[in-house]
Amino acid sequence: MLTPEPMELVTLVVFKEKAEAVATRLLELGLFQPADWQNLAGPLQNLSPVQLEREISQWQALETRFRDLVRQLGCEALPSEEKRALTAGEVEEQLSTMEKSFQPIQNRERELTEEIRTREAMLAQVIRSLPVPLPPEKRYSFLEVHLGTMPEKNLPVLERSLSGIPHVFFPVSQERQRGIYLLVGLKRDRALLEAIRKDVGWEKVEFPPEQEGLSRAVEEKLRQELSRLSQQLAALKEQKEQLRERLKEKLSRIAFSIALKKGLLTAHRYMLTTERTGLLAGWVPADRVEQVIQEVRSLSPVCHWERTTAEATGLPREQIPVLLKQPALLKPFQLLVKSYGLPCYGTVDPTLFVAISFLLMFGAMFGDIGHGLALALTGMFLHRSQRIALRQAGALLLYCGASATVFGFLYGSLFGFEYLPAVWNRPMENITGLFQVSLAFGVGLITLGVLLNVVNAVRDHDYLRAIFDKAGLISGLVYWIGIALILKWVSGKIPVSPVEVFLLASGFLLLFVGPFLQVWRHPGQHSLFETFMESLIGLVEVVMGYLANTVSFIRVAAFALAHAGLFLAIFQLTRLTGGHGVVAGIILVAGNILIVLLEGLVVTIQSLRLNYYEFFSRFFVPGTQEYRPLTLP
């Protein structure tokens, strides 16, 4: 819990015919992260990797087609109960069949949607211009309106010619085998409409002076067209839904096959081959190695395996994957740690310490029973979400609310009202004591950071760093001796001992000598003058750094006072309105909401800042490789 999980490098050698089954089982276990052979020393680097470029390209193309089809169908591929994976040929065949079934529906849906959009635009233009004015061409922004006569026998020709062109066409009157017709189209199709009218013997007719009935007829015709097209579109969507239900199981199986093949191809990319065998190496948590080996042996009894601890591989710690394993209660605080960085393998995992320090600082700066309960209830609501990120954020908000509620009892504050007795003290009544507690907390947290840095250095067998580092044992002792001297000087009651002065001076001298010892240990890296300047600047940095880091914790008390001060400001505003009534109530409620939102955000940022810059900066060693085993979705 205090360090990342121990990892081991597992090397497997199996016959080629068993390699696929073994890789599949490793995917199902979800415990094996392949290691890159290029990072591993030895003669195995001379073996040939599996050539997969063509197969990878083939499956990537199939995955693209599958995602496009799922997106167009508007569905999600659910987990398949059938665990037999399809071959690339089978996936290709099934996708082609589905695309042939779906493409006509998709094309027709697109056409109907476009027609409906065009008809709606035409209807809107006609409604705005009722009754139709003369001449119509000069009033419509994108409509062509024509009234004319033509032989009745040419109607089939006209209908065929207008197919595929957005239009409205209906007869106005009929006389001697020639009818008067109204044709409404789009200006963009003007040339095409004119050619069609010439082909069918269209003769222009002037619009009558009274056009109300004609205009209403155009509107009614457009509405009928829209109704017909909408019915067709609804029927098409129903057909699409039925097709989606029929294809759901096939889509799920294809999704499983693609996911499995992607994982297998990833594993094969890290596999080396001989004439008859395949070699695969990967990282597994130390407590799960036996399980992995037993599973492999059950599939391939004739196999060879080796397990090597991460430390014995000789790899830099930065290349070893990191798995943070914390109890469920601490999982949300991993978000705070990872937002700063991933701790390097073999170093301290600060999740537990962050959980304690973050909640203490948040509660101290945001202490109020009412506000704490409001945050806790919000966190409980978010924790019910299906999304993992929201659940963890909700849990974090719940913890923060609980901490604020506890400090609310300590301060005796309920939505700013101090009717309850304070278990500890009220911030505004003991400002000096609040600042003292904040500084004491800061000293404790900085000291913990120094101790964790020493632990990291000892685990890394770097004893010089453990002793002479800027956050090492000597600097920690100097820090504490300096604090003792300052407290004695401030109190004026206890005289400063010469022994303490001697110890402080000795500590500074040892810190000054530290860089010279490093040069002695690694000669040729720096000249004596460079080392001298480094030592001198290092001393100044140690003094200023510890001082600035300690003083930064004053902000815990400052924001606790600001929280109480905002309540006083809100109460003063309510008094200006008479202290009673609707307006005073609105000010009181709005003010509390503003405090929860605004100061809650500020307090969160300050709590993170104090952890990151005053605490983590002492010991945190960032890593680069997070443990990401191959898994099936």
Side-chain angles (χ1 to χ4, degrees), residues 303-318:
C303 66
H304 174 74
W305 54 268
E306 291 182 1
R307 53 188 297 183
T308 310
T309 62
E311 294 77 9
T313 61
L315 293 173
R317 291 187 306 179
E318 293 77 12

Side-chain angles (χ1 to χ4, degrees), residues 310-367:
E311 294 77 9
T313 61
L315 293 173
R317 291 187 306 179
E318 293 77 12
Q319 294 183 11
I320 301 172
V322 175
L323 171 62
L324 301 181
K325 203 170 185 180
Q326 297 290 349
L329 287 174
L330 296 179
K331 284 286 186 183
F333 297 98
Q334 284 187 1
L335 296 175
L336 304 183
V337 175
K338 289 183 177 180
S339 65
Y340 182 84
L342 189 70
C344 191
Y345 181 83
T347 62
V348 173
D349 176 9
T351 303
L352 174 62
F353 307 112
V354 169
I356 297 172
S357 62
F358 179 84
L359 291 180
L360 287 176
M361 288 188 287
F362 185 94
M365 290 187 279
F366 200 73

Side-chain angles (χ1 to χ4, degrees), residues 562-625:
H563 195 68
L566 287 174
F567 282 127
L568 294 177
I570 293 171
F571 295 152
Q572 185 62 33
L573 286 175
T574 58
R575 292 190 191 99
L576 293 176
T577 61
H580 301 284
V582 177
V583 176
I586 293 174
I587 293 175
L588 193 61
V589 173
N592 275 274
I593 293 174
L594 181 64
I595 292 175
V596 170
L597 296 178
L598 181 60
E599 195 178 2
L601 177 62
V602 173
V603 165
T604 301
I605 293 172
Q606 294 302 322
S607 300
L608 288 174
R609 185 204 175 282
L610 290 170
N611 269 295
Y612 290 165
Y613 294 102
E614 325 308 342
F615 181 47
F616 279 26
S617 61
R618 298 285 162 193
F619 70 92
F620 193 87
V621 181
T624 58
Q625 300 289 331

Side-chain angles (χ1 to χ4, degrees), residues 147-151 175 178-181 200-205:
L147 186 66
T149 179
M150 59 173 281
E175 296 180 2
R178 289 185 70 88
I180 298 177
Y181 304 96
V200 297
W202 183 281
E203 295 180 5
K204 183 177 179 180
V205 174

Side-chain angles (χ1 to χ4, degrees), residues 39-60:
N39 297 327
L40 305 176
L44 293 178
Q45 290 179 325
N46 298 322
L47 296 179
S48 301
V50 181
Q51 300 300 319
L52 300 168
E53 288 77 9
R54 185 174 180 180
E55 192 172 2
I56 290 174
S57 177
Q58 180 185 22
W59 281 95
Q60 284 177 343

Side-chain angles (χ1 to χ4, degrees), residues 23 112 173-174 179 192 279 351 395 408 415 488 546-547:
L112 284 174
S173 64
Q174 189 72 28
L192 191 56
L279 293 84
T351 303
F415 289 113
K488 287 185 176 183
Y546 277 104
L547 179 62

Side-chain angles (χ1 to χ4, degrees), residues 202-324:
W202 183 281
E203 295 180 5
K204 183 177 179 180
V205 174
E206 294 297 329
F207 279 84
E210 298 295 331
Q211 305 166 51
E212 182 70 23
L214 187 59
S215 301
R216 294 300 176 189
V218 173
E219 180 186 356
E220 183 61 28
K221 181 69 173 180
L222 281 170
R223 293 191 185 280
Q224 291 175 1
E225 286 290 315
L226 279 173
S227 176
R228 180 181 61 81
L229 293 173
S230 298
Q231 290 175 2
Q232 291 182 13
L233 184 62
L236 202 64
K237 288 183 176 180
E238 179 64 26
Q239 186 179 352
K240 183 177 176 180
E241 178 64 29
Q242 294 173 358
L243 179 64
R244 183 162 53 222
E245 288 298 319
R246 291 202 306 270
L247 298 180
K248 186 173 292 184
E249 179 58 34
K250 290 184 178 180
L251 288 172
S252 298
R253 191 172 179 189
I254 291 175
F256 169 78
S257 303
I258 291 175
L260 176 62
K261 197 62 182 181
K262 282 179 65 178
L264 290 174
L265 290 173
T266 302
H268 286 317
R269 282 173 55 194
Y270 295 95
M271 184 178 290
L272 299 180
T273 59
T274 64
E275 185 177 349
R276 297 184 59 193
T277 61
L279 293 84
L280 189 62
W283 296 101
V284 179
D287 59 347
R288 308 297 294 275
V289 171
E290 284 295 336
Q291 179 186 355
V292 171
I293 292 175
Q294 291 301 324
E295 292 289 344
V296 172
R297 293 182 66 181
S298 67
L299 293 173
S300 178
V302 181
C303 66
H304 174 74
W305 54 268
E306 291 182 1
R307 53 188 297 183
T308 310
T309 62
E311 294 77 9
T313 61
L315 293 173
R317 291 187 306 179
E318 293 77 12
Q319 294 183 11
I320 301 172
V322 175
L323 171 62
L324 301 181

